[in-house]
């Protein structure tokens, strides 16, 4: 170690030695910076930066060696052979390239360690080749032990430099790698130089081509400085200009740089949007690709929309704006283009979804309304006719409930496909919601065209939907209205088609009906009542009257029957015989029945006497699985004793789901609620029903009571029913008693309880009656 230091101190010009060290430092720094750039690049770009790093490293090592050799102060004049000098720089660059290539080949700690070793060997190869280039009257000899040590130490330190670069991060890896690489180069050179011995030799032949020492010094310093600075400049330019281009290429907008009306540059986004290549774009005028007035675009305060001609001939919608910049030292304009294709597609999709049903992709109600108005306007101008179909699927709700919504959706899509197939060009098939579809048939000869379309629809459904074999198959019913005879407006036309549909469903479903003003008058009234009835509870139009039930034995009122009434704001009081069937058919009877039960129980709680209250239950209410829970909840809520509640059911309630209905009645019976068989004698299985469930009462239907005075057969039936009740130990109530003769007849036959207007008209309720009596007494 001391001999190396003594060699540097005593045998070298310290100024040139410092110059060599500085050249080595700059070269090593350039190498590490190029290393860093190579590591950041993709594989296909990395090889160029590896070559640049090898060149900078090789030149730096070579310059360091020769300047350090030139710093050696010997007594014998020295020159250098040209061929070996050139060969030494080649070895230096190739050795550096091999070392860096090995390091980056696998890009792990082991490959970088081996790369450092190859770097040390490359430095050694350059050093000894350069030493052999010395031309002087001397003989070179080496201390082989010291040479081996120099190569080993140089290889180890170079390996550490590579490992430090690989393991550290950011600026630390540049600094550590640079310093270690400088140390490796200098250590190998000066350690090897301390083991060199120059022995004078007389009559040494001169080299054919040689370089003078001073000339070589100038060449080495100029070349080394220039090449290393060139490498550093390349890094700077790449870091700034290339990154700026990468920044421009990363933009989502296409960029065209314009000067003197021509395109001088463009980013990659423009090429990807248009499909044109750089050779086709650079030098061309922007009007060759854009339908654009550049002056108008430059003056516009907002971006302008235009079209870009793609290479495939496709017109691409774009949004453009022009900005002024300084580019390459000249005032230029940048034309910014934003591709609007996706935006336009999104807008079209949004518009499509706004006017089409998501499930079936048919026009929805919004588009249907537009199309029907357009069809009527055209028909009005050309004196044509328009048919409107309202379609409704038969059995769809039941299938949707039983098989689930997924099966229901599949059926709706299948129906949509059928309607698309049978419709003609120009017809509009729409899904209005749920299982409601509609068809507009414009500008055809009517009603012939509508009849043909109706036949095709029914035939297609018969072929595709076999309800006898397929439990998920549905039928279709539809009504048809024709403009102008069935309506002068779109709303009236659709309403009349819907009314005709209502009649088609009432006549048996699976058929078509044309609108008929006379025939559909009653249907419209019924439909209107159905719609009004759905809101009757919320609008407080329903109320209860209470008809007393007279007990023959005690000669007093034993209870009351709650009778539902509807006071319509326009039609006055509507009889139950009119609206109860409508409520049962529409399904609103379920909500109405619950309301009636709760109101009757609340009224009964306010009575002075613990009289019973009778409430009629519709057969449809027994289809509710929670009927028992509903009645129990109302009794608990109102506080009415269950033994005061009588539920009147007809034999129709036992016709469907007989087992489930009887099970519900038995639970209610155990709760204490009494169950009454209403309208007895009008069904087909009265005796079996009495045997299946122990009813608390039997009510004789009012149709028999009304015929007692003039029909002996009716009196015989009443007598038989009363006798049956006695034999089964069931009280019998005769309802509909209106005259004194009827009262005497049923009492003579042994009837226990009577009910009818003979004993008083239905009233608002005993609680109101008692309140009126209290006020009168007061």
């Amino acid at each position: 170690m001391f001999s190396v230091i003594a060699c540097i101190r005593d045998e070298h010009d310290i100024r040139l030695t410092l110059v060599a060290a500085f050249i080595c430092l700059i070269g090593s720094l350039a190498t590490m910076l190029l290393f860093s750039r190579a590591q950041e690049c993709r594989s296909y770009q990395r090889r160029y930066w590896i070559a640049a790093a090898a060149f900078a490293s090789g030149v730096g090592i070579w310059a360091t060696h020769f300047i350090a050799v030139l710093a050696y102060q010997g007594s014998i004049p020295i020159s250098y052979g040209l061929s070996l000098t050139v060969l030494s720089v080649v070895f230096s660059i190739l050795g550096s390239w091999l070392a860096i290539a090995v390091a980056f080949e696998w890009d792990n700690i082991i490959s970088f360690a081996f790369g450092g070793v190859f770097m040390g060997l490359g430095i050694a190869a350059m050093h000894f080749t350069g030493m052999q280039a010395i031309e002087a009257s001397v003989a070179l000899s080496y201390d082989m032990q010291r040479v081996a040590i120099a190569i080993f130490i140089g290889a180890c330190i170079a390996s550490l430099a590579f490992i430090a670069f690989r393991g550290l991060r950011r600026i630390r890896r540049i600094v550590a790698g640079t310093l270690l690489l400088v140390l490796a180069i200098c250590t190998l050179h000066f350690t090897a130089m301390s083991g060199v011995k120059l022995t004078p030799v007389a009559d040494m032949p001169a080299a054919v081509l040689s370089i003078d020492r001073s000339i070589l010094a100038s060449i080495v310093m100029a070349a080394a400085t220039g090449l290393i600075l060139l490498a550093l400049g390349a890094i700077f330019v790449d870091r700034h200009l290339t990154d700026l281009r990468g920044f421009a290429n990363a933009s989502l907008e296409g960029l065209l740089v314009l000067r003197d009306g021509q395109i001088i540059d463009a980013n990659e986004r423009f090429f990807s949007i248009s499909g044109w290549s750089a050779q086709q774009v650079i030098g061309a005028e922007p009007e060759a690709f854009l339908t654009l007035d550049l002056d108008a675009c430059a003056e516009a305060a907002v971006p302008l929309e235009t079209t870009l001609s793609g290479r495939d001939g496709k017109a691409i919608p774009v949004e453009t704006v022009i900005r002024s910049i300084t580019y390459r030292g000249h005032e230029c304009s940048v034309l910014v283009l934003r591709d609007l294709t996706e935006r336009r597609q999104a807008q079209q999709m949004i518009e499509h979804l706004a006017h089409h049903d998501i499930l079936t992709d048919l026009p929805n109600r919004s588009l249907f309304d537009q199309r029907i108005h357009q069809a009527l306007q055209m028909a009005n101008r050309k004196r044509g006719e328009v048919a409107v179909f309202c379609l409704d699927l038969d059995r769809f709700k039941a299938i949707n409930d039983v098989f689930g919504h997924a099966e229901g959706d599949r059926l709706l899509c299948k129906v949509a496909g059928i309607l698309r197939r049978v419709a003609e060009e120009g017809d509009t098939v729409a899904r209005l919601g749920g299982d409601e579809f509609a068809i507009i048939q414009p500008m055809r000869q009517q009603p012939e065209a509508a009849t043909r379309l109706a036949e095709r629809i029914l035939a297609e459904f018969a072929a595709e939907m076999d309800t006898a074999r397929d439990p998920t198959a549905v039928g279709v019913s539809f009504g048809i209205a024709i403009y102008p005879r069935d309506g002068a407006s779109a709303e009236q036309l659709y309403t009349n088609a819907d009314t005709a549909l209502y009649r088609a469903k009432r006549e048996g479903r699976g058929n078509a009906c044309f609108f008929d003003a006379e025939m559909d008058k009653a249907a419209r009234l019924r439909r209107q009542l159905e719609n009004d009835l759905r809101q009757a509870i919320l609008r407080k139009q329903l109320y209860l009257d209470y008809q007393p039930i007279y007990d023959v034995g005690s000669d007093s009122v034993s209870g009351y029957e709650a009778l539902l009434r509807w006071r319509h704001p326009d039609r006055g009081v509507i009889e139950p015989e009119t609206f109860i069937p409508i409520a049962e058919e529409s399904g609103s009877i379920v909500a109405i029945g619950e309301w009636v039960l709760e109101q009757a129980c609340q009224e009964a709680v306010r009575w002075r006497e613990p009289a019973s209250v009778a409430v009629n239950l519709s057969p449809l209410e027994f289809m509710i699985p929670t009927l028992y829970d509903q009645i129990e909840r109302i009794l608990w809520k109102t506080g009415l004793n269950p033994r005061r509640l009588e539920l009147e059911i007809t034999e129709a309630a036992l016709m469907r789901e007989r087992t489930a209905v009887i099970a519900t009645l038995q639970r209610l019976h155990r709760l204490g609620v009494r169950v009454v068989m209403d309208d007895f004698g009008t069904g087909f299985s009265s005796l079996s029903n009495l045997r299946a469930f122990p009813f608390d009462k039997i009510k004789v239907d009012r149709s028999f009571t009304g015929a007692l005075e003039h029909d002996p057969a009716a009196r015989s039936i009443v007598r038989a029913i009363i006798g049956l009740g006695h034999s089964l130990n069931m009280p019998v109530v005769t309802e509909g008693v209106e005259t004194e003769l009827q009262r005497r007849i049923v009492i003579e036959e042994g009837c226990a309880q009577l009910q009818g207007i003979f004993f008083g008209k239905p009233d608002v309720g005993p609680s109101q009656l008692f309140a009126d009596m209290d006020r009168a007494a007061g």
Side-chain angles (χ1 to χ4, degrees), residues 534 537 542 587-596 621 624 630:
R534 295 182 189 277
I537 296 177
L542 299 180
S588 58
I589 190 64
V590 174
I592 292 174
E594 183 178 1
W595 179 86
V596 169
E621 293 182 77
I624 306 173
Q630 174 184 301

Side-chain angles (χ1 to χ4, degrees), residues 681-739:
T682 60
F684 298 99
S685 55
S686 302
L687 296 180
S688 63
N689 289 332
L690 292 178
R691 186 171 60 86
F693 179 79
F695 288 90
D696 295 285
K697 284 184 184 180
I698 301 174
K699 293 189 77 171
V700 179
D701 185 69
R702 64 179 64 249
S703 61
F704 299 120
T705 307
L708 284 175
E709 297 176 350
H710 53 80
D711 189 353
R715 183 166 183 170
S716 299
I717 292 174
V718 171
R719 182 186 302 117
I721 294 174
I722 294 173
L724 179 64
H726 289 165
S727 64
L728 295 175
N729 199 25
M730 290 183 187
V732 178
V733 182
T734 301
E735 60 179 357
V737 178
E738 300 179 357
T739 65

Side-chain angles (χ1 to χ4, degrees), residues 158-323:
S159 182
L160 288 175
F162 275 51
I163 292 172
F165 176 84
R166 178 68 172 74
L168 298 176
R169 291 291 178 268
R170 297 184 179 178
I171 192 65
R172 289 184 296 173
R173 67 177 184 171
I174 302 296
V175 172
T178 299
L179 295 178
L180 287 171
L181 187 58
V182 169
L183 183 61
I185 296 169
C186 293
T187 300
L188 191 150
H189 174 83
F190 290 107
T191 302
M193 286 297 292
S194 67
V196 174
K197 185 177 181 181
L198 299 176
T199 304
V201 177
D203 301 326
M204 175 68 72
V208 177
L209 292 173
S210 63
I211 305 174
D212 183 75
R213 175 176 177 152
S214 59
I215 297 174
L216 180 62
S218 300
I219 293 173
V220 169
M221 293 182 66
T225 304
L227 292 173
I228 292 172
L229 290 177
L230 184 62
L232 291 174
I235 296 172
F236 177 81
V237 170
D238 178 73
R239 284 288 186 181
H240 290 78
L241 300 184
T242 304
D243 286 352
L244 288 176
R245 173 166 288 278
F247 182 75
N249 288 335
S251 174
L252 295 177
E253 287 80 21
L255 302 177
L256 291 176
V257 183
L258 311 178
R259 190 172 73 207
D260 298 331
Q262 291 186 330
I263 302 171
I264 63 172
D265 204 354
N267 67 344
E268 291 182 0
R269 177 58 177 163
F270 177 80
F271 300 136
S272 66
I273 293 174
S274 64
W276 300 105
S277 65
Q279 292 78 9
Q280 295 167 319
V281 172
I282 305 301
E285 295 180 352
E287 289 83 356
F289 310 103
L290 291 161
T291 307
L292 182 68
D293 185 345
L294 291 177
D295 295 333
C297 186
E299 295 174 0
V302 296
L304 301 179
E305 292 189 10
T306 184
T307 55
L308 170 66
S309 298
R311 186 175 183 181
D312 57 359
K314 182 180 179 182
I316 304 165
V318 293
E319 188 178 63
T320 61
V321 66
I322 289 182
R323 294 290 183 264

Side-chain angles (χ1 to χ4, degrees), residues 94 99 128 149 228 232 264 289 304 392 480 540 641 748:
L94 288 178
F128 291 106
I149 293 172
I228 292 172
L232 291 174
I264 63 172
F289 310 103
L304 301 179
D392 189 78
I480 308 168
K540 299 182 179 180
N641 188 330
E748 289 174 0

Side-chain angles (χ1 to χ4, degrees), residues 529 532-533 535-536 539-542 566-574:
L529 289 177
D532 293 343
L533 189 57
Q535 306 296 327
R539 295 172 179 171
K540 299 182 179 180
Q541 298 171 2
L542 299 180
W566 180 15
R567 183 179 289 108
H568 194 279
D570 300 323
R571 306 179 189 277
V573 177
I574 300 177

Side-chain angles (χ1 to χ4, degrees), residues 362-365 368-369 371-372 375-376 385-393 419 422-424 426-433 435-459 461 476-483 485-486 490-502 504 511-515:
L362 291 175
N364 60 10
R365 186 177 293 275
F368 173 80
D369 291 341
R371 295 277 179 85
I372 193 172
L376 295 189
E385 294 179 303
V386 178
V388 174
F389 291 64
C390 282
L391 301 94
D392 189 78
L393 303 182
L419 297 180
V422 299
E424 298 178 3
D427 295 349
T428 296
V429 180
R431 181 189 175 209
L432 306 184
D435 61 336
E436 299 178 30
F437 294 82
I439 300 176
I440 304 171
Q441 191 183 48
M443 304 307 294
R444 303 277 199 283
Q445 186 66 38
Q446 301 296 352
E448 293 80 4
T451 302
R452 290 194 300 269
L453 179 56
E455 290 173 351
R456 289 200 302 272
I457 293 174
L458 293 175
F461 265 83
V476 64
S477 301
F478 48 96
I480 308 168
I482 298 175
Y483 174 86
R485 73 183 192 191
D486 295 333
E491 292 75 14
Q492 186 179 9
L493 196 64
Y494 176 78
T495 299
N496 288 341
D498 191 50
T499 301
L501 165 64
Y502 188 76
N511 54 26
C513 287
F514 282 87
F515 175 76

